Amino acid sequence: MPFLQAAPVLSNQYLDDRVLRSYLRRVLPRTMLGAIEPDLTDLGEYAANAWTLARTRERSEPKLTQWDVWGERVDRIELTPAWIAAQPLAARHGLIAAGHEATHGTHARVHQFALVYLFHCASEFYTCPLAMTDGATTALKASGNQRLIDRALPHFLSRDPEQFWICGQWMTENAGGSDVAPTETAAREENGRWRLYGRKWFTSAINAQAALALARPAGAPAGSDALALFYLEPRKPDGRWRNIVIDRLKDKLGTRELPTAEIHLDGAPAELVGEPKFGVRQIAPVLNITRTWNAVGALATMRRCIALARDFGNRRVVFGKPLAEQALYQDTLAGMQAEYEAAFHLTFFVTELLGRVQCGQADESQQNLLRLLTPLAKLWTGKLAVAIASEACECIGGVGYLEDSGIPQLLRDAQVWPIWEGASNVQALDFQRALRAAGGLQSLLTAQRTILSQVQASELEPCARAVRMAATAIAEWLQKASAGERHRLEAGGRELAFGLARTFALALLARHAEWALRAENDPRPGAAARRFAEHRLLRLKPDGLRDATMLASDSY
């Protein structure tokens, strides 16, 4: 018989996930874990089946039909099968509701993001509008606008598929994304109602039933403080658009199943969320939410890539034995697994902090810690997801380069994680702002020492030592950089952020490894921690600004 190469296969993605299951056993009360495990198991099975289905059916993308057969402008968007299936599934499993319900108290966010982590890869990026909906829910709660709270939140938090809504966030314009100060969309009061005029250049999930948008009220001065935050319901009950025109759908590198549009607002009716200024301040708290979704999505991508590479290694026989039994392939997988496990524990620690802050159970130090760690987790996991997706393509070889294997899509999609919610440099600068507001690294270093104090096993001492050495080097570098001109600190901001993220992650991974040894007699988290400690934690440059300035210009 001719040789046939076996495709990688996924089993239940919850039952097969040692890292997630061990973590949940450590952090959740036993009764709570028992209560939520059926949902986790169901989503794990859905994720495995969705991978099999995606490989056997023809790929599809959203389609925009701007005119009907009679010449009427309709701007109708057809969604992919996975998107059509996703809305009722997200509602029934409470992918938004679980994070806001009081049932599980401070553990609500851990519960929610465990669901999101399992659901993401099967959803064709339906998690994007879910993240925006979660953020919008948080913004509306904080606004105190009771009319909008009563109007929108019952839909955003519904577990009934017939009542559940998703919400977009329309911020980006031609002039830029992270810098919203040049926003040109205008808001005018006409006959007692606000209407919006202008162009939004990136509107992800344009099919959403609601949206939040920034606009400048008529007569307001320039600058970001003069922008106001508005709530819209873009379509009428019959599906027709409310003074909105869809110019086109974006042609993107990845996330192609996600309908992202360029739109014109031509008097679209809207409601003020708060006062007619300081809209950026009203949307700012959303970043802790959406950046956490970003990090969890990046984690899910890593987990999917490693699972496929591992299963492929068990099936592919070369040089007389399976790849999985060959030392170099084992070493490659081990390196990927160690990085992923460290990133997992950092990201889910952020979800724990988010839950405490949301429930009013966090002290000032923990609130500062959430503000510091959120951009760090987002920055590092975004970059790491791309690296691991690339490595997975290489692990699977030539077939991993073929479109119909499904592997290249993972790599293309992964590239969005460093870009969404602010690119890496934006995260590094935002961390420095948070650092100044917190008065320095004290809350982070204190938390890190507390975590490390729980690591007692002798086999984990190299990990604890690596954390202590890295923390000392970071503090010394930061002291020297802060003593000079501010742009010197800024120039090293990205490597500072990576170093802090990786160092804190190692402390968390070592703590879990200590627990796993005692409670589960499992040495694998310890092996991951030791392997990660051997990887380079820091790449801080003593003073690379002069060379950076010269090389960046590269002129003759």
Side-chain angles (χ1 to χ4, degrees):
M1 289 184 64
F3 170 77
L4 294 176
Q5 190 162 312
V9 175
L10 296 178
S11 57
N12 185 296
Q13 291 295 281
Y14 174 65
L15 298 179
D16 194 42
D17 195 326
R18 166 184 63 83
V19 177
L20 174 63
R21 298 187 72 194
S22 178
Y23 166 78
L24 293 179
R25 285 193 292 267
R26 178 173 65 81
V27 300
L28 296 184
R30 184 175 298 180
T31 53
M32 176 185 167
L33 182 56
I36 69 174
E37 273 202 310
D39 263 2
L40 297 172
T41 303
D42 285 350
L43 278 179
E45 191 63 25
Y46 178 79
N49 292 337
W51 165 253
T52 302
L53 182 61
R55 288 190 2 256
T56 57
R57 74 180 180 207
E58 187 176 347
R59 290 275 303 280
S60 62
E61 297 181 10
K63 179 183 176 182
L64 171 64
T65 301
Q66 292 180 306
W67 308 90
D68 71 8
V69 68
W70 307 107
E72 182 180 358
R73 185 72 184 253
V74 291
D75 288 345
R76 183 175 61 250
I77 297 171
E78 298 172 36
L79 302 174
T80 68
W83 267 61
I84 293 170
Q87 177 147 335
L89 196 69
R92 286 196 298 269
H93 286 282
L95 267 72
I96 304 301
H100 293 266
E101 292 169 345
T103 309
H104 300 304
T106 59
H107 299 301
R109 288 295 185 175
V110 172
H111 174 207
Q112 176 193 29
F113 283 112
L115 295 168
V116 171
Y117 165 86
L118 292 168
F119 179 63
H120 167 69
C121 287
S123 78
E124 295 187 353
F125 277 86
Y126 192 78
T127 47
C128 170
L130 293 179
M132 294 188 293
T133 306
D134 196 351
T137 300
T138 303
L140 291 179
K141 281 182 176 180
S143 75
N145 187 325
Q146 198 58 49
R147 206 194 81 76
L148 288 181
I149 290 171
D150 293 343
R151 169 65 180 168
L153 263 57
H155 290 291
F156 296 167
L157 299 177
S158 179
R159 288 176 177 264
D160 178 356
E162 296 299 318
Q163 296 298 317
F164 179 63
W165 285 3
I166 55 174
C167 183
Q169 292 178 18
W170 299 352
M171 310 298 163
T172 304
E173 301 194 2
N174 297 46
S178 298
D179 179 10
V180 297
T183 292
E184 296 176 343
T185 298
R188 303 175 196 159
E189 255 191 307
E190 299 173 0
N191 300 318
R193 181 158 201 185
W194 288 97
R195 293 186 176 273
L196 305 187
Y197 297 84
R199 187 184 190 196
K200 293 294 182 181
W201 200 49
F202 267 95
T203 57
S204 289
I206 188 58
N207 60 306
Q209 292 91 343
L212 295 181
L214 288 175
R216 195 177 309 278
S224 58
D225 281 350
L227 295 172
L229 184 63
F230 290 88
Y231 168 87
L232 305 86
E233 292 177 12
R235 285 172 294 175
K236 300 175 183 178
D238 63 5
R240 289 183 297 162
W241 296 95
R242 289 188 166 108
N243 299 63
I244 295 171
V245 174
I246 312 299
D247 294 334
R248 63 172 177 169
L249 295 182
K250 293 287 194 181
D251 187 11
K252 297 168 292 180
L253 171 69
T255 69
R256 296 183 68 88
E257 295 81 5
L258 166 65
T260 304
E262 295 175 21
I263 66 172
H264 269 90
L265 306 169
D266 187 21
E271 296 187 47
L272 267 173
V273 173
E275 56 184 316
K277 57 182 177 179
F278 302 134
V280 176
R281 297 184 194 178
Q282 294 172 51
I283 205 70
V286 170
L287 291 177
N288 278 342
I289 306 296
T290 53
R291 288 176 177 175
T292 303
W293 277 79
N294 200 95
V296 171
L299 266 186
T301 299
M302 297 180 220
R303 156 70 179 154
R304 171 60 58 88
C305 290
I306 293 170
L308 291 170
R310 181 176 287 119
D311 188 78
F312 178 79
N314 288 327
R315 297 170 185 277
R316 178 75 165 111
V317 176
V318 291
F319 306 120
K321 60 182 179 180
L323 274 173
E325 296 177 12
Q326 302 192 29
L328 187 53
Y329 196 81
Q330 290 174 341
D331 187 74
T332 300
L333 284 179
M336 295 163 68
Q337 182 71 22
E339 293 282 328
Y340 153 74
E341 289 197 34
F344 178 97
H345 286 286
L346 177 62
T347 299
F348 270 89
F349 182 72
V350 169
T351 73
E352 293 174 49
L353 288 172
L354 185 59
R356 292 193 198 110
V357 169
Q358 180 174 282
C359 290
Q361 299 297 312
D363 58 24
E364 183 180 1
S365 178
Q366 290 172 320
Q367 293 175 43
N368 284 336
L369 194 58
L370 175 64
R371 182 68 182 86
L372 290 167
L373 288 179
T374 300
L376 294 184
K378 190 277 178 191
L379 180 152
W380 177 40
T381 57
K383 285 290 191 183
L384 185 57
V386 177
I388 287 181
S390 177
E391 192 71 71
C393 285
E394 192 172 347
C395 283
I396 296 174
V399 174
Y401 198 68
L402 299 179
E403 282 294 342
D404 49 0
S405 73
I407 308 300
Q409 183 179 351
L410 287 169
L411 178 57
R412 285 198 311 275
D413 286 348
Q415 189 59 61
V416 82
W417 299 124
I419 296 171
W420 270 353
E421 306 307 324
S424 298
N425 286 358
V426 172
Q427 301 302 316
L429 294 174
D430 189 52
F431 169 76
Q432 291 191 13
R433 283 190 291 271
L435 192 63
R436 289 191 292 273
L441 281 175
Q442 193 57 48
S443 58
L444 192 151
L445 294 177
T446 298
Q448 190 168 270
R449 284 193 295 270
T450 300
I451 291 164
L452 213 56
S453 69
Q454 300 171 50
V455 180
Q456 302 296 325
S458 59
E459 54 263 57
L460 295 172
E461 175 53 31
C463 306
R465 184 167 58 250
V467 171
R468 289 191 292 267
M469 290 174 62
T472 299
I474 289 169
E476 291 175 353
W477 183 91
L478 191 57
Q479 184 177 16
K480 290 178 182 177
S482 300
E485 298 177 14
R486 183 164 163 178
H487 60 275
R488 293 184 181 276
L489 177 60
E490 181 179 311
R494 188 193 282 218
E495 298 307 332
L496 172 66
F498 279 127
L500 283 164
R502 293 174 66 82
T503 303
F504 202 93
L506 177 54
L508 291 166
L509 178 54
R511 180 180 66 174
H512 184 78
E514 171 82 23
W515 177 86
L517 280 171
R518 289 185 290 100
E520 300 183 321
N521 195 30
D522 187 354
R524 289 171 294 183
R530 288 190 298 275
R531 177 63 182 257
F532 185 71
E534 294 168 359
H535 294 179
R536 190 175 178 183
L537 294 182
L538 302 179
R539 293 178 175 84
L540 293 171
K541 297 174 282 290
D543 183 7
L545 181 61
R546 178 172 60 89
D547 289 346
T549 302
M550 180 167 54
L551 291 170
S553 62
D554 199 24
S555 58
Y556 293 90

